[in-house]
Amino acid sequence: MATPTGQRRGRPPRISRAEILAVARRIVDEEGVDRLTMRRLAKDVGSTPMALYHHVRDKDELLVLLLDEYAARALRRPELPADPRERVVAAAAAIREALAGQEWVAQVLTADDLMARSALWFTEQIVDGLVECGLTPERAVHGYRAIWYYTAGELLVRAASARRRAGDDRATYRERVFADLDPEELPRLAAVGDRWARLTAEDTYLDGLRALVDGLVG
Amino acid sequence: MATPTGQRRGRPPRISRAEILAVARRIVDEEGVDRLTMRRLAKDVGSTPMALYHHVRDKDELLVLLLDEYAARALRRPELPADPRERVVAAAAAIREALAGQEWVAQVLTADDLMARSALWFTEQIVDGLVECGLTPERAVHGYRAIWYYTAGELLVRAASARRRAGDDRATYRERVFADLDPEELPRLAAVGDRWARLTAEDTYLDGLRALVDGLVG
DNA sequence: ACCTGAACACCGTTCAAGT
DNA sequence: ACCTGAACACCGTTCAAGT
């Protein structure tokens, strides 16, 4: 709060929300989101845990702010195709592109959902593209929602398997299950057998997205 | 380990893995997965935290076991339609039906993925249905994968919004954003405006699933 | 073989006080 | 207004010892 003369009152701030977020981002990037604790963050900022609570409400808000800021930076608006169906595909793919690979994003994502004003432009493109394909505005919103479910699911499931690969040992469990399936009971899976791991590791996001969009626009 | 005469050696067990899982399940059902801690669980089992580590490797394994057991119980195999496309839809819907509403499942799901032998029958039905629709086995597996992304995404995103509704206050944030959108910049979203919350709260899982399956089988 | 007690190395957050 | 210190009420897991 400023006084009528423009002076600030009380003790001047030593740390800012922006500084807190920058340091948090560095910890997350270098050591993973699990290592981001309020105590550790305070230490790296050169302050105390409780000082942080003057700038963010709690740890949850910190994570959401982190995601919003990342989205604002990473979601550069691309040139989109003129064809409405291709525009929908390209907008969804751009969101996924920006969020994939950032392992920590998936873990925060479940705490927020379509995040930040910065993502709304993409939402607009998708809804608009679907309307131009002939859907009513209501069905276009539902279509956007389906696309978001698919995209978020891909991000979350893939992040989970990446984490599991890091922790080993359960990957071999799945391989064991698929290696000795009963071909009587589960013939298709038994036939795929050892190719399962390779097949599900392939990046088929775009194929699935196109199928979904094709199905949505009829 | 049994001796050649069938006797067990060493101190007889006081608690079993089955008992641990049953108590864990009760805690999760009654108070939520966040309240399930090794210490709390030990207390309810009438033992000590470290005794648990003789029956499960760590907390992660406990959660996966819990999910596997729940899936085995909840995934009753339904009568499936003869038409292959409808069979794919029905099998996916059955998985989703069993897992939806169980709020804790979503939080564990990101730590596992297609869970347990008990789910493989459904996977088989989906892959088989897609093959009968004319897809190659490889494309059928990719198709299954897309359906799983969509289904897991729906479960996780909806569970996240349910949690947020419980915690309030940020729901109003989204409403505020949507209430004063710039109609110049985001005309479609501005037009939907206050109907956004209602529209995205609707259960349109089946519509999206059908669209995806339609798109997959061409 | 199975269980216990004590300890290690942490958490997020509140409260009361200081400048 | 902003920050600090001490404390509260917890965590998961390891280690050494007991029966």
Side-chain angles (χ1 to χ4, degrees):
Chain A
M1 266 307 156
T3 60
T5 56
Q7 295 170 322
R8 295 183 172 280
R9 312 215 245 129
R11 188 170 173 169
R14 272 159 145 61
I15 56 175
S16 66
R17 178 182 270 205
E19 188 189 355
I20 291 171
L21 285 174
V23 175
R25 186 82 165 84
R26 186 180 52 69
I27 294 173
V28 162
D29 281 347
E30 289 176 4
E31 305 181 39
V33 72
D34 290 339
R35 296 287 272 277
L36 179 65
T37 69
M38 297 303 267
R39 287 157 191 271
R40 165 68 194 282
L41 179 55
K43 191 174 287 178
D44 281 20
V45 164
S47 187
T48 64
M50 273 319 297
L52 303 178
Y53 286 87
H54 250 269
H55 301 270
V56 298
R57 183 157 33 132
D58 53 23
K59 196 184 175 181
D60 258 27
E61 192 189 65
L62 177 72
L63 289 172
V64 170
L65 289 171
L66 215 54
L67 180 59
D68 284 4
E69 210 187 58
Y70 174 74
R73 244 189 270 280
L75 282 173
R76 302 266 54 113
R77 301 180 183 184
E79 291 271 352
L80 292 180
D83 175 65
R85 185 185 301 214
E86 285 306 310
R87 192 140 47 89
V88 171
V89 170
I95 294 180
R96 187 257 189 171
E97 180 72 21
L99 300 184
Q102 298 287 324
E103 222 237 281
W104 66 277
V105 168
Q107 276 174 84
V108 181
L109 212 56
T110 20
D112 199 17
D113 76 343
L114 52 48
M115 92 237 100
R117 282 179 166 82
S118 58
L120 290 180
W121 181 82
F122 292 83
T123 307
E124 171 77 18
Q125 300 310 314
I126 291 172
V127 173
D128 183 59
L130 291 173
V131 171
E132 285 199 21
C133 284
L135 272 63
T136 64
E138 283 76 16
R139 298 207 56 201
V141 170
H142 290 147
Y144 161 75
R145 198 73 175 161
I147 290 170
W148 175 242
Y149 290 154
Y150 172 73
T151 302
E154 200 259 357
L155 287 168
L156 292 167
V157 169
R158 289 191 90 84
S161 13
R163 232 174 302 133
R164 215 167 320 107
R165 249 194 311 287
D168 249 53
D169 68 78
R170 273 190 63 85
T172 48
Y173 167 73
R174 164 119 66 261
E175 271 162 40
R176 237 178 17 252
V177 170
F178 267 84
D180 49 58
L181 288 176
D182 180 3
E184 297 280 294
E185 208 206 337
L186 306 170
R188 296 292 185 200
L189 300 189
V192 173
D194 53 336
R195 302 197 320 278
W196 184 266
R198 188 173 47 70
L199 284 173
T200 56
E202 282 175 36
D203 180 356
T204 55
Y205 172 79
L206 265 179
D207 296 332
L209 176 62
R210 273 182 204 285
L212 177 55
V213 173
D214 286 351
L216 287 171
V217 305
Chain B
M1 268 307 156
T3 61
T5 57
Q7 296 170 323
R8 294 183 173 280
R9 312 218 244 129
R11 188 171 175 169
R14 271 159 146 63
I15 56 175
S16 66
R17 178 182 270 205
E19 188 189 353
I20 290 170
L21 285 175
V23 174
R25 186 84 164 80
R26 187 180 52 67
I27 294 172
V28 162
D29 281 346
E30 290 176 4
E31 305 181 41
V33 71
D34 291 339
R35 297 288 272 276
L36 179 66
T37 69
M38 297 304 266
R39 286 155 191 270
R40 165 69 194 281
L41 179 55
K43 191 174 287 178
D44 281 19
V45 164
S47 186
T48 64
M50 271 321 295
L52 303 178
Y53 286 87
H54 251 269
H55 301 269
V56 298
R57 184 158 30 135
D58 53 23
K59 198 185 174 183
D60 258 26
E61 191 189 64
L62 177 72
L63 290 171
V64 170
L65 289 172
L66 214 54
L67 181 59
D68 284 1
E69 211 188 53
Y70 174 75
R73 243 189 269 281
L75 282 174
R76 301 268 53 114
R77 300 180 183 184
E79 291 271 352
L80 292 181
D83 176 66
R85 186 185 301 211
E86 285 306 309
R87 193 142 47 89
V88 171
V89 170
I95 294 180
R96 186 257 188 172
E97 180 73 20
L99 300 184
Q102 298 288 325
E103 221 238 281
W104 65 277
V105 168
Q107 277 173 82
V108 181
L109 211 56
T110 19
D112 198 19
D113 75 340
L114 53 48
M115 93 237 100
R117 284 180 164 82
S118 58
L120 290 180
W121 182 81
F122 292 84
T123 307
E124 172 77 19
Q125 300 310 315
I126 291 172
V127 173
D128 182 61
L130 292 173
V131 171
E132 286 199 18
C133 285
L135 271 64
T136 64
E138 282 76 16
R139 297 208 56 200
V141 170
H142 289 148
Y144 161 75
R145 197 75 177 161
I147 291 170
W148 175 242
Y149 291 154
Y150 172 72
T151 302
E154 201 260 356
L155 287 168
L156 292 166
V157 170
R158 289 191 91 84
S161 13
R163 233 174 303 134
R164 215 169 318 108
R165 251 195 309 288
D168 250 54
D169 67 79
R170 274 190 64 85
T172 48
Y173 167 73
R174 166 119 66 261
E175 272 160 39
R176 240 181 12 255
V177 169
F178 266 84
D180 50 58
L181 288 176
D182 180 3
E184 297 280 295
E185 209 206 340
L186 306 170
R188 296 291 185 201
L189 300 189
V192 173
D194 53 337
R195 297 189 334 271
W196 183 266
R198 188 172 48 69
L199 284 172
T200 56
E202 282 175 37
D203 180 356
T204 55
Y205 172 78
L206 266 179
D207 296 332
L209 176 62
R210 273 182 205 286
L212 178 55
V213 174
D214 286 350
L216 287 170
V217 304

